[in-house]
Amino acid sequence: MDFKTVTPSPDAITLNEINVCLINQCKALLDVKTYWHKFYIIETYGLTRNLVLKTLLEHIQPLELIPLCYTEEGKGAYFFARNCSQVIKKFCSDKLTVHNPFDFRKPFKLKIALKYTTTCNVKVDHYCRNVLKVLQKRLKSHILCLNNFVEDPDLNDFLLLSEPKLLAFVLNVAKILKPKIIKLCNNEIKSLEALRVLPAQSINALDLRNNLITNLTELKHLSIFDITELWLEGNPLCDLYDEYNYVEQIIKYCPKIEKLDGFLLRQNGVPSFRRNFLCDVSAYDVIDQFLEDYFPTYDSKDLAKLESFYHKDALFSMTAEQFHNQVSSATSHIKSYKQYSRNLMDTPNRDSNLYIGSREIVKLFELLPHCEHDPYSFTVDVMHYSKLAIIIVTGVFMEIPYVKRILGFNRYFILECRDKNFRIANEQLHIFNALSSQQAKAFKKPRVLQEPRNETQKNQMLNTFAIITNLTKEWAKIVLEECHYNLKHALLVFIDLYKSDKIPSHGFKTYD
């Protein structure tokens, strides 16, 4: 027997807008977990099941409810639920009225039939069978895909996985399938506690991208599993932690993890590079300084300064590869790089494409298309740091100004310390058309004008400011120092001084 054919109990008590005060006399009924209660929505105003039920569930938060057998009837609808005494009290305290976010003039009005039937008459097995059928459809090679689960067209009931009880219900049914990998993307999940219904050590990979997890402490619920691969990209927590603490905290909760957000941390128990992880904290300043100096200089094509980053006998090689089935595949071509490539398998002149010496390396860079790197796309991995530093930088760049196409890169630098300065002794550059995930995020954040960190950068800013304002270097330096070398602030101060005629004529450069 199911809900649609069951006969209502003669002892059922219906609460409506008029007699809602009867709730105080029905407390004994609410505490009986074997009673099914029937919830009527008098009018749904043409809204879909998912929109109506999501509104009701958001209204009762943080309380939880599992609505079953949602059925449209006339202008309204109904569903069944049990073990929900606090939810019923909440609805009654709001006079069985729920705000309609789609039209504030038309709130949802409810009726509740208490003790409509019992679990002896209607069991959940019938509804579990439908969920199991959907899960079987979504299972392939021990990978259970629950992405955007509530929108599955074959799902009879509303199972919003952002609700812990509903997530636990679905995962409890899924246990029979013995999945090893579970994908839970795009489900607005905030808590991972429901995962504990799965057997310990039953899963080893979890994809939680694009949910609403705000704190890494939620990962404590994963400690019962042997997680080796984890995806958290697209959750609010990713913006709350720096990469160093991000990786360290995740390893604390998932000690066997090998791959995080697609980046290899270790393989077969052997440590590998970590996303933006520095093996020695003292490397921060050196590596940051190198990156902040190198890439802007590379983008500027200032050959004299670029050559100074390399040892005179440095080695450089490049490889290039075209990836298919990416958003960029049709427009991003790599022919201009392929001719200088040293791909071992498909480059006939690979032996001649090993560049030796700083001058030869920079000459090659002059032949490559002018570009601009996106520093916000960078991931930096430090393999080793002492008198020798080995770093890997991954990110994207844009070719300018002719064709604004986006390419991805990996640069492997070996920096050697000589005369107290780190210079590049060996570099390998790998270029490819940007992956779809990189293309979606590339150049989304505006560049921030940073304050200079050393005398070289101060002089560069001084020259720039003098050119923009036509001030003499003496006066340009006075304004910059007053503004602590904040270029944006200095420009505003200059405008104010110029408008009020407070800069003497000798403060400006003169031309014969």
Side-chain angles (χ1 to χ4, degrees):
M1 188 179 295
D2 61 22
F3 287 119
K4 292 183 179 180
T5 59
V6 71
T7 303
S9 167
D11 299 329
I13 299 174
T14 300
L15 302 175
N16 55 39
E17 195 175 10
I18 298 173
N19 69 353
V20 68
C21 59
L22 288 177
I23 185 67
N24 296 321
Q25 303 171 28
C26 302
K27 290 182 179 179
L29 293 178
L30 301 182
D31 294 330
V32 181
K33 296 181 179 180
T34 57
Y35 290 163
W36 287 104
H37 310 295
K38 188 174 184 179
F39 294 73
Y40 299 87
I41 303 114
I42 296 171
E43 187 168 354
T44 60
Y45 308 107
L47 296 173
T48 64
R49 175 196 70 180
N50 288 6
L51 291 176
V52 172
L53 290 181
K54 188 175 182 181
T55 300
L56 297 187
L57 293 179
E58 287 177 351
H59 179 80
I60 63 172
Q61 284 183 351
L63 303 175
E64 297 178 89
L65 181 72
I66 299 181
L68 293 181
C69 192
Y70 182 94
T71 304
E72 294 181 352
E73 186 176 65
K75 292 184 177 181
Y78 64 82
F79 64 88
F80 294 85
R82 68 181 184 89
N83 194 17
C84 54
S85 60
Q86 295 302 315
V87 170
I88 294 173
K89 290 176 183 177
K90 166 65 177 171
F91 281 138
C92 289
S93 69
D94 295 329
K95 298 181 179 180
L96 297 174
T97 301
V98 175
H99 169 70
N100 179 358
F102 307 100
D103 190 339
F104 68 92
R105 297 167 299 178
K106 299 177 180 179
F108 297 117
K109 299 289 186 178
L110 306 180
K111 288 194 307 182
I112 304 176
L114 303 178
K115 194 186 174 183
Y116 187 86
T117 188
T118 69
T119 53
C120 294
N121 296 325
V122 178
K123 300 184 183 298
V124 296
D125 295 352
H126 173 77
Y127 303 95
C128 289
R129 285 197 294 273
N130 170 248
V131 175
L132 181 59
K133 185 177 178 181
V134 174
L135 294 179
Q136 287 172 328
K137 177 191 74 173
R138 286 171 164 255
L139 181 75
K140 292 182 180 178
S141 303
H142 295 289
I143 301 173
L144 181 59
C145 181
L146 301 180
N147 296 346
N148 202 20
F149 188 67
V150 72
E151 299 296 338
D152 194 297
D154 297 324
L155 203 59
N156 291 341
D157 285 293
F158 177 76
L159 295 173
L160 187 66
L161 300 191
S162 60
E163 297 293 318
K165 268 192 177 181
L166 296 176
L167 178 56
F169 173 68
V170 171
L171 293 177
N172 199 49
V173 177
K175 286 193 293 189
I176 193 173
L177 302 177
K178 299 180 179 179
K180 295 294 183 183
I181 299 171
I182 298 181
K183 297 183 177 182
L184 285 163
C185 305
N186 304 304
N187 284 303
E188 300 182 3
I189 293 170
K190 297 178 182 177
S191 172
L192 301 179
E193 186 174 5
L195 288 166
R196 288 185 171 273
V197 303
L198 296 171
Q201 285 79 47
S202 60
I203 60 173
N204 52 45
L206 190 60
D207 190 346
L208 294 165
R209 280 177 287 185
N210 302 319
N211 281 295
L212 300 176
I213 303 167
T214 59
N215 200 306
L216 283 175
T217 56
E218 279 298 318
L219 300 186
K220 66 186 179 185
H221 302 299
L222 306 184
S223 59
I224 65 172
F225 309 114
D226 292 330
I227 299 293
T228 58
E229 183 171 356
L230 180 66
W231 289 84
L232 289 169
E233 190 178 23
N235 282 278
L237 65 83
C238 295
D239 296 324
L240 300 178
Y241 296 87
D242 63 75
E243 279 84 353
Y244 180 85
N245 288 317
Y246 178 70
V247 172
E248 289 300 290
Q249 289 296 311
I250 289 172
I251 289 177
K252 182 174 76 173
Y253 295 115
C254 304
K256 295 187 178 181
I257 192 166
E258 295 181 354
K259 205 171 186 181
L260 174 61
D261 292 334
F263 290 86
L264 197 65
L265 304 185
R266 57 167 71 92
Q267 194 167 22
N268 299 322
V270 179
S272 182
F273 64 83
R274 304 188 223 177
R275 184 185 182 192
N276 282 23
F277 173 68
L278 302 179
C279 56
D280 188 330
V281 176
S282 62
Y284 267 117
D285 290 339
V286 173
I287 301 306
D288 283 350
Q289 186 66 64
F290 170 74
L291 296 176
E292 289 178 13
D293 291 343
Y294 179 83
F295 283 97
T297 305
Y298 184 95
D299 291 349
S300 72
K301 288 285 187 179
D302 189 335
L303 297 186
K305 291 181 181 177
L306 191 58
E307 188 173 340
S308 68
F309 284 92
Y310 292 84
H311 287 310
K312 62 178 182 179
D313 53 352
L315 299 177
F316 176 87
S317 63
M318 180 171 64
T319 55
E321 183 177 3
Q322 179 80 16
F323 289 118
H324 301 291
N325 302 319
Q326 304 297 317
V327 173
S328 63
S329 298
T331 57
S332 293
H333 306 292
I334 58 172
K335 289 182 179 178
S336 52
Y337 305 96
K338 200 81 170 177
Q339 59 183 312
Y340 306 111
S341 171
R342 203 164 181 258
N343 289 20
L344 296 180
M345 297 297 293
D346 58 3
T347 307
N349 59 335
R350 57 181 177 269
D351 291 335
S352 63
N353 286 348
L354 175 63
Y355 298 88
I356 304 173
S358 57
R359 187 164 297 179
E360 290 301 313
I361 294 170
V362 172
K363 282 182 180 179
L364 168 65
F365 292 158
E366 182 67 12
L367 298 174
L368 299 178
H370 191 195
C371 66
E372 177 185 347
H373 288 80
D374 179 8
Y376 294 103
S377 72
F378 288 6
T379 59
V380 183
D381 307 297
V382 178
M383 305 286 288
H384 176 78
Y385 178 74
S386 59
K387 289 186 176 181
L388 190 74
I390 303 175
I391 66 173
I392 303 171
V393 184
T394 301
V396 298
F397 65 89
M398 177 192 297
E399 291 183 348
I400 56 175
Y402 307 110
V403 181
K404 289 189 176 180
R405 59 188 182 200
I406 295 173
L407 298 169
F409 73 90
N410 296 322
R411 297 187 88 135
Y412 299 76
F413 296 101
I414 297 179
L415 307 178
E416 188 176 341
C417 185
R418 293 183 187 175
D419 302 323
K420 298 182 180 180
N421 290 314
F422 276 93
R423 286 190 172 83
I424 303 167
N426 195 317
E427 180 188 354
Q428 295 179 32
L429 170 61
H430 179 61
I431 291 176
F432 52 92
N433 57 299
L435 304 179
S436 298
S437 58
Q438 292 177 314
Q439 181 100 359
K441 297 178 180 179
F443 294 93
K444 298 298 183 185
K445 296 182 181 180
R447 284 177 177 256
V448 178
L449 293 173
Q450 297 181 337
E451 295 180 15
R453 301 176 54 165
N454 54 43
E455 287 303 318
T456 301
Q457 291 179 354
K458 286 183 178 180
N459 287 330
Q460 289 174 346
M461 183 175 287
L462 176 61
N463 291 333
T464 301
F465 188 65
I467 292 170
I468 293 172
T469 59
N470 200 37
L471 290 172
T472 63
K473 285 193 176 182
E474 291 77 12
W475 266 86
K477 188 174 182 180
I478 291 171
V479 177
L480 283 172
E481 287 180 346
E482 182 69 24
C483 299
H484 304 289
Y485 282 85
N486 183 313
L487 183 57
K488 184 177 180 181
H489 186 202
L491 288 169
L492 293 174
V493 169
F494 165 74
I495 292 170
D496 289 340
L497 292 173
Y498 183 80
K499 285 182 177 179
S500 57
D501 200 23
K502 291 183 179 179
I503 303 175
S505 57
H506 65 265
F508 292 95
K509 286 182 264 187
T510 57
Y511 301 94
D512 296 331

